[in-house]
């Protein structure tokens, strides 16, 4: 029985993880789970599965749950996250927290020799240099949950690293893929949240519309698969059926296909290197889909993607600035405070303003993340 800690359990990935685990009760148990602020959702999950530890962001929520569920141990805050990510009995930590907040618990879990199933791509974007070193040092597995990266990971099974020519990262193109740049000016939050293929949390859905999500994924791929930025190509594939591909030196391309269903990459990260039935999973009906289409992304149309390559190639602290500024701007857009295109403008301004730090420590990254958020708030007069 594999004992799991799920961070971000009330979210889109978190709830699908609960589903996968409930479908394999003999193999997995969620021993500990962390949520943000949604107490009602936590109670819903408690009615479905037996856990032993819960972590909430706020102390009041933790106290409320502790009183109502005296047999459980309820903790809170960052120290609570670290406590449940490092419990001796835990084998694997599935990190589905959204944003920079996922970084420290990932680091501590690795140091406690836990394997990591990583949905929280922001961890690798800002601190890929730290995470990859720690993974080597502590000898743990870093298993991708992001569908594209799971596809690449699966395509690389049994292959040698020096035979990779390039990685082809597919992108649905997000909610506005059919719009020209001048049509993006007045788009609404509701329109942006209407993703054509995937149902996901709000932040990543907006990131998919701007294409910052794909930009973050380019950086995530660089660290996960140890390739140069010149070896990562983004390909718009509106059907989201080929989840990504690898081209090898002999020009052969191997990819992974499937219906858009996040439960598959979640399950594969948990069962790896084994495979298991995906309960409720539907076989891909290629004849019904009939055609798959592809096009190159236009870097002027999708400015965010150009910014992400630029920040990634500059390296050091630049990805942290891009990520922090984007998290803040994304939230401001969702709260109706800024226009859609302002997101990328604000990120670009933050990148231009920042002085590169070459090999930032965790403490520096925490400061730089705060600086980038603050910079965005100041720019729009909200500080
Ligand atoms: P979500 O918004 O649905 O869920 C986020 C979870 O994190 C919630 O449980 C929330 O309570 C928790 N959380 C937020 N801030 C927290 C904090 N400070 N401390 C502790 N918990 C906190 O997001 P999601 O769509 O499930 O995405 C989660 C992560 O997975 C993101 O990094 C996203 O990029 C990545 N991801 C998601 C999908 C998807 O299909 N949803 C696909 C690939 C990758
Ligand atoms: Mg993805």
């Amino acid at each position: 029985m594999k004992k799991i800690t799920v961070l971000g359990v009330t979210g889109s990935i978190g709830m699908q993880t609960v589903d996968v685990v409930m479908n394999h009760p003999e193999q997995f148990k969620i021993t500990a789970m962390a949520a943000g602020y949604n107490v009602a959702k936590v109670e819903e999950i408690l009615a479905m599965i037996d856990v032993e530890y819960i972590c909430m962001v706020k102390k009041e929520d933790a106290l409320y749950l502790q009183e109502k569920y005296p047999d459980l141990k309820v903790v809170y805050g960052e120290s609570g996250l670290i406590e449940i990510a490092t419990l001796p009995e835990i084998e694997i930590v599935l990190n589905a927290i959204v944003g920079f907040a996922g970084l420290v618990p990932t680091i501590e879990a690795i140091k406690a020799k836990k394997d990591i199933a990583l949905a929280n791509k922001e961890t690798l974007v800002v601190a890929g240099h730290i995470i990859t070193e720690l993974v080597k040092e502590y000898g743990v597995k870093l298993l991708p949950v992001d569908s594209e990266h799971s596809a690449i990971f699966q395509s690389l099974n049994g292959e040698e690293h020096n035979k990779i020519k390039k990685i082809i990262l597919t992108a649905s193109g997000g909610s506005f893929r059919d719009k020209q740049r001048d049509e993006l000016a007045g788009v609404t939050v509701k329109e942006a949240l209407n993703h054509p293929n995937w149902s996901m949390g709000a932040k990543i859905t907006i990131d998919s519309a701007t294409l910052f999500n794909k930009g973050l994924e380019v950086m995530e791929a660089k660290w996960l698969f140890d390739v140069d930025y010149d070896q990562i190509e983004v390909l718009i594939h509106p059907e989201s059926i080929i989840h990504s591909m690898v081209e090898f030196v002999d020009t052969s391309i191997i990819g992974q296909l499937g219906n858009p269903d996040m439960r598959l990459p979640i399950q594969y990260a948990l069962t790896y290197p084994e495979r298991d039935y995906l309960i409720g999973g539907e076989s891909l009906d290629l004849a019904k889909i009939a055609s798959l289409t592809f096009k190159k992304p236009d870097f002027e149309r999708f400015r965010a993607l150009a910014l992400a390559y630029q920040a990634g190639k500059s390296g050091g602290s630049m990805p942290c600035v891009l990520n922090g500024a984007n998290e803040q701007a994304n939230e401001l857009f969702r709260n109706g405070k800024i226009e859609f295109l302002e997101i990328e403008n604000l990120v670009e301004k933050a990148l231009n303003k920042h002085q590169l730090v070459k090999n930032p420590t965790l403490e520096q990254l925490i400061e730089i993340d705060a600086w980038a958020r603050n910079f965005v708030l100041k720019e729009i007069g909200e500080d």
Side-chain angles (χ1 to χ4, degrees), residues 7-16 34-38 55-57 77-78 81 95-102 105 118-123 145-149 198-205 207 213 216-217 220 262 265-266 334:
L7 307 180
V9 72
T10 52
S12 159
I13 294 288
M15 290 304 288
Q16 293 180 85
Y37 306 90
N38 195 341
C55 177
M56 301 299 294
V57 169
E78 192 170 80
L81 278 179
N95 187 348
I97 288 180
V98 58
F100 189 87
L118 192 67
N120 177 250
K121 63 191 87 187
E122 295 89 345
T123 281
V145 169
D146 215 345
S147 58
E148 296 78 359
H149 305 75
W198 300 92
S199 160
M200 308 181 286
K203 190 256 179 186
I204 185 176
T205 307
D207 279 350
N213 181 51
L216 299 178
E217 289 186 355
E220 184 186 11
M262 282 309 295
I266 292 168
R334 277 184 279 139

Side-chain angles (χ1 to χ4, degrees), residues 279-296:
I279 314 251
E282 277 183 37
S283 291
L284 185 60
D285 187 344
L286 280 172
K288 194 167 157 204
I289 293 163
S291 74
L292 297 176
T293 57
F294 308 94
K295 69 177 182 203
K296 273 196 184 326

Side-chain angles (χ1 to χ4, degrees), residues 120-137:
N120 177 250
K121 63 191 87 187
E122 295 89 345
T123 281
L124 275 177
V125 169
V126 301
H129 59 298
I130 295 175
I131 298 293
T132 47
E133 282 307 309
L134 287 174
V135 162
K136 270 187 234 151
E137 185 181 340

